[in-house]
């Protein structure tokens, strides 16, 4: 059956985007990326309608009041991220599977909503210190944002047991191939 939901969650910096992009580039799995909406500003190189739908605070609030989201979270103070109902249906109505890169609470909620139609995969860092180092090396966030993300990570890691599968992202190629086989198994089931 097509139109399944693949949820990838983890604290920021654990490698979700890297793993998802590697699998999308390989193109072996029939799945499309769910573009989330957010009110955070774009990072260098990010594009509206590709990485996110970048919205103003007012636009985001309007979507909330129109009940347009499957789920949304205030992931960081004042920073909202949400999965639009229209985005999921755009992809699944065409019979494609959809892959979501969403925060840990969002991941738990979407799995609860879609049940057997969804698989939830938690990406864990080898350690919180390694996570900090990756965020520093990524060099996309100011120091206070990195501190905020690391501080939240330990709390988020405590949600790992609520996910269907946990993959530790130590060796990147190993993590990619584990996620690849989990998704292929789920889609074939
Ligand atoms: P997320 O999407 O979860 O926030 P990213 O995919 O942006 O995380 O990864 C954060 C940073 O860590 C990136 O610079 C990425 O290149 C790097 N990275 C990802 N996986 C590994 C790994 N296994 N070993 C070393 N660096 C990694
Ligand atoms: P970033 O600012 O690094 O792109 O993303 C920050 C966090 O927001 C990440 O954990 C990412 O997975 C999460 N996120 C992105 N889109 C959504 C979404 O639609 N819903 C929820 N709940 N979280 C999201």
């Amino acid at each position: 059956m097509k139109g399944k939901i693949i949820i990838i969650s983890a604290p920021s910096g654990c490698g979700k985007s890297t793993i998802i992009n590697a699998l999308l580039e390989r193109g072996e799995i029939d799945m499309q990326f769910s573009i989330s909406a957010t009110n955070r500003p774009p990072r260098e190189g990010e594009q509206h309608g590709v990485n996110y739908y970048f919205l103003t605070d007012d636009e985001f609030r309007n979507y909330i009041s129109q009940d347009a989201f499957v789920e949304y979270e205030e992931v960081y103070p004042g920073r909202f991220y949400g999965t639009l109902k229209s985005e999921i249906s755009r992809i699944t109505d065409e019979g494609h599977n959809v892959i979501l890169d969403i925060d840990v609470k969002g991941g738990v909620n979407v799995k609860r909503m879609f049940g057997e139609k969804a698989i939830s995969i938690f990406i864990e860092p080898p350690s919180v210190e390694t996570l900090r180092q990756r965020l520093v090396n990524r060099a996309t966030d100011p120091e206070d944002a990195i501190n905020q993300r690391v501080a939240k990570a330990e709390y988020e890691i405590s949600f790992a047991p609520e996910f269907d599968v946990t993959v530790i992202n130590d060796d990147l190629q190993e993590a990619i191939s584990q996620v690849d086989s989990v998704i292929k198994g789920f889609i074939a089931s």
Side-chain angles (χ1 to χ4, degrees):
M1 187 190 100
K2 284 191 176 180
K4 289 187 173 181
I5 318 262
I6 300 142
I7 302 159
I8 308 282
S9 294
S12 180
C14 287
K16 294 180 298 287
S17 319
T18 307
I19 293 170
I20 292 171
N21 289 337
L23 296 178
L24 289 172
E25 267 166 36
R26 281 187 195 173
E28 291 172 8
I29 303 171
D30 173 12
M31 61 182 182
Q32 291 185 16
F33 183 65
S34 163
I35 303 164
S36 293
T38 183
N39 69 343
R40 86 148 161 76
R43 296 183 183 130
E44 206 179 314
E46 285 185 331
Q47 287 175 41
H48 180 78
V50 176
N51 308 90
Y52 283 104
Y53 298 114
F54 293 102
L55 307 181
T56 63
D57 294 354
D58 278 350
E59 285 169 334
F60 204 101
R61 263 194 295 270
N62 283 341
Y63 277 125
I64 294 173
S65 60
Q66 290 161 18
D67 196 24
F69 288 111
V70 176
E71 62 76 40
Y72 69 90
E73 296 285 338
E74 185 176 6
V75 178
Y76 304 106
R79 294 287 184 236
F80 288 83
Y81 297 78
T83 307
L84 290 161
K85 291 178 180 169
S86 56
E87 185 65 11
I88 300 291
S89 57
R90 176 179 73 80
I91 298 169
T92 55
D93 287 356
E94 288 176 357
H96 300 295
N97 303 300
V98 58
I99 186 160
L100 277 66
D101 171 342
I102 62 176
D103 92 310
V104 171
K105 274 194 192 163
V108 170
N109 287 337
V110 173
K111 171 65 190 181
R112 207 171 282 148
M113 277 176 229
F114 289 95
E116 295 298 300
K117 214 184 155 194
I119 188 166
S120 59
I121 305 173
F122 191 90
I123 310 293
E124 210 172 305
S127 68
V128 174
E129 194 39 47
T130 309
L131 176 65
R132 172 186 291 282
Q133 203 48 55
R134 286 184 189 167
L135 286 170
V136 170
N137 294 346
R138 189 171 72 180
T140 53
D141 297 283
E143 196 184 343
D144 59 337
I146 290 179
N147 289 338
Q148 195 177 43
R149 282 161 192 254
V150 172
K152 204 176 172 192
E154 286 197 28
Y155 168 72
E156 291 175 312
I157 290 169
S158 71
F159 283 87
E162 297 196 33
F163 283 72
D164 294 324
V165 180
T166 297
V167 170
I168 297 176
N169 179 16
D170 189 357
D171 177 82
L172 178 60
Q173 293 314 318
E174 177 61 24
I176 291 170
S177 76
Q178 280 184 31
V179 175
D180 180 65
S181 60
V182 167
I183 296 175
K184 284 177 179 163
F186 170 64
I187 286 174
S189 68

